[in-house]
Amino acid sequence: LNWDDIANVLLSKGRIATVVRTTKETDIKVTIDLDSQTKGKIETGIGFFDHMLDQIQTHGNFKMDVHVDGDLDIDDHHSVED
């Protein structure tokens, strides 16, 4: 393979990653797709936080799906912190 072929092989696989974090206070799943510019679904239960994450994906030109199930009845800091 030459360098163009190597680059094509690497980039053709898609650059997608998912991370799951579960603690006593939160259950979080984030998937980022660097090759998609469609809008992802962001659900944290915190309106301003949803807005700020949406701005990151919009201006970064990538798709980000975020689902957070946190203990918002106690406080929202665990959802943001984790």
Side-chain angles (χ1 to χ4, degrees):
L1 296 176
N2 62 39
W3 286 113
D4 288 334
D5 292 337
I6 292 170
N8 287 333
V9 168
L10 291 174
L11 295 176
S12 69
K13 293 182 181 182
R15 299 175 296 164
I16 301 172
T18 299
V19 175
V20 176
R21 176 176 168 85
T22 302
T23 68
K24 290 187 287 185
E25 296 90 7
T26 60
D27 187 13
I28 300 170
K29 181 178 180 182
V30 177
T31 300
I32 294 178
D33 182 348
L34 295 178
D35 298 314
S36 176
Q37 296 173 2
T38 62
K39 278 279 198 200
K41 190 171 186 180
I42 299 174
E43 301 171 323
T44 68
I46 306 165
F48 181 70
F49 192 40
D50 290 353
H51 171 71
M52 296 309 291
L53 292 173
D54 180 65
Q55 293 302 299
I56 291 170
Q57 76 170 338
T58 298
H59 296 289
N61 286 325
F62 61 86
K63 179 181 180 185
M64 180 167 55
D65 292 311
V66 179
H67 179 76
V68 178
D69 183 18
D71 59 354
L72 296 179
D73 55 318
I74 295 172
D75 196 335
D76 61 5
H77 87 273
H78 289 132
S79 295
V80 174
E81 176 182 72
D82 290 345

